């Protein structure tokens, strides 16, 4: 007896692990406390250091990059729009949950850790608008300028510190200008910074269809061990919302066909 090896599944798993490692090593997530960073020019697009990505957070156990980040169609977005147009309140709520959320990334170096090279710092819409305000203010100039830019103090508070259900991040722009670095080895690392597209791989249209179908039909997936983690609670809530929205038909698969294949 010889067990057949699914090479495609093995390759897919290896790629998944590789992508996860890339994210871990190239993404900066501040610990609670104050940090000093510098936004640096993005060598793969020198005109704009801000990289807007759209991610689905309510599908499965991990975030999924939406192809709309690159101006390409996303079947999950199409399905969400059709849900919102049914006239049913629960369908509209589920459609909103399925929409991808914008996450903005900028290349940065962390003061005191310059030898680690460029990493990407991700944040939401509110902080993005605040940073754009500084960029638009001529009194600050180009804060990413290699010689006359400005460092940023980032203060991060975990939700346990804020007493709220979410953490908080605040920023202060340094009043004095300074060069990014005078260390030649750090300058070399600035020019060899990673490409955001190598960290967040764009899934194919078929991949997105499968992710949606798996979410709509959770019974097809292996049962997960019950824990009290926030992630699994969110997954459970998403599944319950899906079942409620499909209550007008015999099963969720029929709802999918009815809404998506019209």
């Amino acid at each position: 007896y010889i067990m057949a090896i699914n090479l495609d599944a093995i390759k897919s798993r290896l790629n998944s692990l590789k992508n996860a490692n890339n994210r871990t090593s190239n993404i900066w997530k501040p610990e609670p406390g104050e940090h000093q960073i510098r936004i640096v020019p993005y060598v793969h697009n020198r005109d704009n250091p801000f990289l807007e990505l759209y991610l689905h957070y309510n599908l499965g156990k991990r975030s999924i990059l939406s192809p709309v980040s690159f101006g390409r169609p996303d079947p999950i977005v199409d399905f969400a729009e059709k849900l919102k147009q049914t006239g049913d309140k629960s369908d509209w709520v589920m459609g909103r949950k399925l929409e991808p959320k914008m996450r903005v990334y900028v290349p940065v170096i962390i003061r005191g850790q310059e030898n680690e090279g460029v990493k990407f710092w991700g944040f939401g819409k509110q902080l993005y608008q605040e940073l754009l305000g500084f960029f638009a203010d001529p009194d600050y100039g180009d804060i990413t300028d290699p010689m006359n830019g400005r460092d940023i103090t980032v203060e991060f508070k975990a939700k346990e510190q804020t007493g709220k259900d979410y953490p908080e991040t605040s920023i202060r722009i340094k009043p004095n200008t300074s060069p990014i670095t005078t260390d030649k080895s750090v300058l070399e690392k600035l020019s060899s910074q990673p490409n955001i597209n190598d960290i967040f791989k764009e899934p194919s249209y078929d991949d997105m269809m499968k992710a949606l179908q798996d979410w709509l039909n959770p019974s097809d997936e292996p049962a997960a061990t019950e824990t009290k983690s926030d992630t699994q609670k969110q997954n459970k809530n998403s599944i319950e919302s899906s079942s409620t929205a499909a209550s007008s038909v015999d099963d969720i698969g029929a709802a999918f066909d009815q809404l998506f294949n019209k």
Side-chain angles (χ1 to χ4, degrees):
Y1 174 75
I2 299 176
M3 181 181 292
I5 297 176
N6 188 330
L7 292 178
D8 289 337
I10 292 174
K11 289 179 181 178
S12 176
R13 181 56 180 161
L14 285 173
N15 287 334
S16 177
L17 290 171
K18 182 178 179 181
N19 291 338
N21 289 335
N22 281 342
R23 291 193 190 186
T24 301
S25 61
N26 291 311
I27 299 297
W28 178 63
K29 295 182 179 180
E31 297 291 331
E34 288 192 356
H35 310 268
Q36 192 166 320
I37 67 168
R38 178 67 164 265
I39 299 178
V40 301
Y42 183 46
V43 298
H44 304 287
N45 181 6
R46 296 182 182 277
D47 294 332
N48 185 9
F50 295 103
L51 309 163
E52 298 179 8
L53 299 181
Y54 290 82
L55 297 110
H56 294 284
Y57 290 104
N58 294 315
L59 290 170
K61 298 179 181 180
R62 61 185 179 86
S63 58
I64 302 175
L65 180 66
S66 171
V68 301
S69 303
F70 310 101
R72 286 183 272 276
D74 179 347
I76 299 176
V77 171
D78 295 340
F79 182 58
E81 288 301 314
K82 293 199 174 185
L83 279 174
K84 289 161 60 179
Q85 295 171 12
T86 65
D88 183 270
K89 183 177 179 180
S90 60
D91 283 354
W92 188 90
V93 170
M94 186 170 76
R96 285 285 294 168
K97 287 183 178 179
L98 284 173
E99 291 177 339
K101 305 299 186 292
M102 183 176 70
R103 188 78 174 167
V104 181
Y105 290 86
V106 290
V108 299
I109 56 171
I110 297 89
R111 292 306 189 192
Q113 303 173 30
E114 288 91 345
N115 288 333
E116 295 184 13
V118 175
K119 297 182 182 295
F120 289 97
W121 174 36
F123 43 81
K125 183 178 179 181
Q126 183 174 342
L127 194 54
Y128 183 30
Q129 290 176 325
E130 188 174 353
L131 281 168
L132 287 178
F134 288 111
F135 273 80
D137 189 336
D139 290 341
Y140 285 93
D142 179 4
I143 65 175
T144 69
D145 184 88
M147 294 304 298
N148 299 299
R150 301 172 191 265
D151 285 1
I152 302 172
T153 298
V154 177
E155 183 177 6
F156 179 78
K157 293 182 179 180
K159 61 182 181 180
E160 293 81 9
Q161 296 173 291
T162 66
K164 303 173 184 177
D165 293 332
Y166 51 87
E168 291 182 345
T169 304
S170 60
I171 60 171
R172 298 191 303 275
I173 306 296
K174 289 288 187 179
N176 296 328
T177 61
S178 63
I180 290 176
T181 184
T182 56
D183 187 329
K184 290 184 178 180
S185 64
V186 175
L187 284 173
E188 291 175 359
K189 290 179 180 180
L190 290 177
S191 63
S192 60
Q193 60 186 257
N195 190 318
I196 196 73
N197 295 335
D198 293 330
I199 300 172
F200 293 92
K201 295 291 187 180
E202 180 185 0
S204 68
Y205 190 91
D206 289 342
D207 289 337
M208 300 303 290
M209 283 288 290
K210 185 179 185 306
L212 177 59
Q213 290 169 337
D214 288 344
W215 184 79
L216 288 171
N217 296 279
S219 60
D220 292 342
E221 298 177 351
T225 302
E226 290 188 4
T227 70
K228 295 182 180 180
S229 70
D230 292 338
T231 300
Q232 287 179 323
K233 286 180 181 179
Q234 291 174 356
N235 291 341
K236 181 180 179 183
N237 291 338
S238 295
I239 291 169
E240 289 174 351
S241 297
S242 175
S243 299
T244 300
S247 59
S248 60
V249 293
D250 292 336
D251 55 40
I252 296 174
F256 175 82
D257 290 336
Q258 180 182 4
L259 288 167
F260 194 79
N261 295 323
K262 276 186 177 181

